[in-house]
């Protein structure tokens, strides 16, 4: 019995029993019912499509992260790009403790000039982003040595931040020395020694006024590195 004859047979029976009869006849000849035919029809599932698409996207994202993360994490700094700042665009904020203590309070590893026990004067300043009071652009500390009368001004920032003050000092330093494997650019002129160097993701610039000798600024850098 073919499918056409089956449906004809069903139409000749009681209309109220069409549904039950149709199912019984289909079962007798092992043909699928209409409900079963509908279930077996290939249909497009948007949910399934989105699940597949999401899975593929996640896999691609995982591969990209596996490639990109090591590059980012192995940078000298944690931040992605450099910035240039003007000192005039920063707000000067004095603090009543030294850079050494600031480093300890913030769990940093900053170098400092250890003249605190012989200082006649000490001034420590934070220069903060004018648009974000939590963004410390650079530190500045001035110490007057009470024994020899020299004045040191120390500037510290991170490697991804360039400040106009630092840039001018770096350009002025024409000589190069290596102290404890650290490259130090320096210069002496007009009774003032200047030195610039980088160490542990920080940029340091130093002005030493009224030094005992022309290369005293290098001795100062050496003492800073020895305190690390």
């Amino acid at each position: 019995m073919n499918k056409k004859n089956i449906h004809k047979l069903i139409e000749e029976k009681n209309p109220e029993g069409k549904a039950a009869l149709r199912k019984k006849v289909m079962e007798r000849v092992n043909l699928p019912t209409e409900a079963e035919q509908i279930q077996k029809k290939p249909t497009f599932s948007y949910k399934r499509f989105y699940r597949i698409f999401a899975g593929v996207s996640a896999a691609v994202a995982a591969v990209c992260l596996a490639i990109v993360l090591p590059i980012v994490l192995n940078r000298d700094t944690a931040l992605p790009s450099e910035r240039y700042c003007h000192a005039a665009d920063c707000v000067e904020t004095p603090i009543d403790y030294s850079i050494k203590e600031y480093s300890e309070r913030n769990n940093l590893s900053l170098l400092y000039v250890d003249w605190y026990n012989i200082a006649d004067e000490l001034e420590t300043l934070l220069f903060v982003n004018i648009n974000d009071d939590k963004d410390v652009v650079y530190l500045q500390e001035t110490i007057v040595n009470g024994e020899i009368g020299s004045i040191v001004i120390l500037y510290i920032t991170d490697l991804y931040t360039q400040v106009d003050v630092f840039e001018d000092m770096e350009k002025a330093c024409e000589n190069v020395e290596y102290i404890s494997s650290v490259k130090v650019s320096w210069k002496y002129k007009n009774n003032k020694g200047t030195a610039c160097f980088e160490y542990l993701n920080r940029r340091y610039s130093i002005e030493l006024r009224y030094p005992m000798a022309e290369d005293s600024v290098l001795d100062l850098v050496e003492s800073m590195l020895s305190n690390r």
Side-chain angles (χ1 to χ4, degrees):
M1 183 180 293
N2 60 33
K3 185 176 179 181
K4 182 176 180 180
N5 293 333
I6 290 171
H7 287 286
K8 184 177 180 181
L9 176 63
I10 292 172
E11 291 298 326
E12 295 174 353
K13 303 295 180 178
N14 186 356
E16 287 78 10
K18 282 184 180 180
L21 182 59
R22 187 187 300 273
K23 181 178 180 181
K24 184 181 294 185
V25 175
M26 292 291 188
E27 290 173 350
R28 185 184 305 163
V29 294
N30 294 321
L31 292 175
T33 64
E34 287 185 356
E36 291 172 340
Q37 292 177 31
I38 292 173
Q39 290 178 357
K40 290 186 177 181
K41 287 182 180 179
T43 57
F44 181 81
S45 172
Y46 285 99
K47 291 183 178 179
R48 184 169 179 269
F49 171 78
Y50 289 131
R51 284 199 298 268
I52 295 173
F53 180 79
V56 173
S57 300
V60 172
V63 172
C64 292
L65 285 174
I67 296 172
V68 173
L69 277 179
I71 297 175
V72 174
L73 296 177
N74 285 327
R75 287 176 60 89
D76 287 336
T77 62
L79 296 171
S81 60
E82 294 185 354
R83 63 175 178 173
Y84 188 88
C85 301
H86 294 275
D89 295 331
C90 298
V91 177
E92 179 183 305
T93 305
I95 57 177
D96 58 0
Y97 47 90
S98 67
I99 283 181
K100 178 182 179 181
E101 188 173 346
Y102 176 87
S103 178
E104 293 170 350
R105 289 188 181 194
N106 292 279
N107 196 29
L108 301 173
S109 300
L110 302 179
L111 302 180
Y112 52 89
V113 178
D114 193 9
W115 282 1
Y116 302 123
N117 293 332
I118 56 174
D120 273 357
E121 294 183 26
L122 171 65
E123 181 184 53
T124 309
L125 304 172
L126 306 183
F127 284 80
V128 180
N129 189 327
I130 195 170
N131 297 314
D132 182 0
D133 60 4
K134 295 182 180 179
D135 178 16
V136 178
V137 178
Y138 70 97
L139 306 174
Q140 176 182 319
E141 185 164 79
T142 304
I143 305 176
V144 177
N145 188 314
E147 294 184 351
I148 59 176
S150 296
I151 301 172
V152 65
I153 305 174
L154 173 63
Y155 304 87
I156 307 174
T157 190
D158 52 57
L159 290 184
Y160 94 102
T161 301
Q162 181 61 272
V163 186
D164 52 356
V165 175
F166 290 74
E167 187 178 42
D168 293 341
M169 294 176 67
E170 290 171 0
K171 288 179 179 179
C173 294
E174 302 171 343
N175 307 310
V176 175
E177 294 285 343
Y178 285 86
I179 301 175
S180 301
S181 301
V182 176
K183 181 181 177 181
V184 181
S185 301
W186 72 287
K187 183 176 182 178
Y188 176 82
K189 185 178 181 180
N190 298 330
N191 209 22
K192 181 178 71 174
T194 304
C196 301
F197 65 97
E198 296 176 359
Y199 184 74
L200 289 183
N201 298 331
R202 294 290 186 275
R203 181 179 288 113
Y204 295 84
S205 296
I206 306 168
E207 284 186 7
L208 181 59
R209 300 176 182 176
Y210 317 115
M212 298 293 291
E214 292 186 2
D215 60 353
S216 291
V217 69
L218 296 178
D219 296 333
L220 199 58
V221 172
E222 185 174 9
S223 68
M224 292 172 65
L225 291 170
S226 66
N227 291 331
R228 56 189 170 178

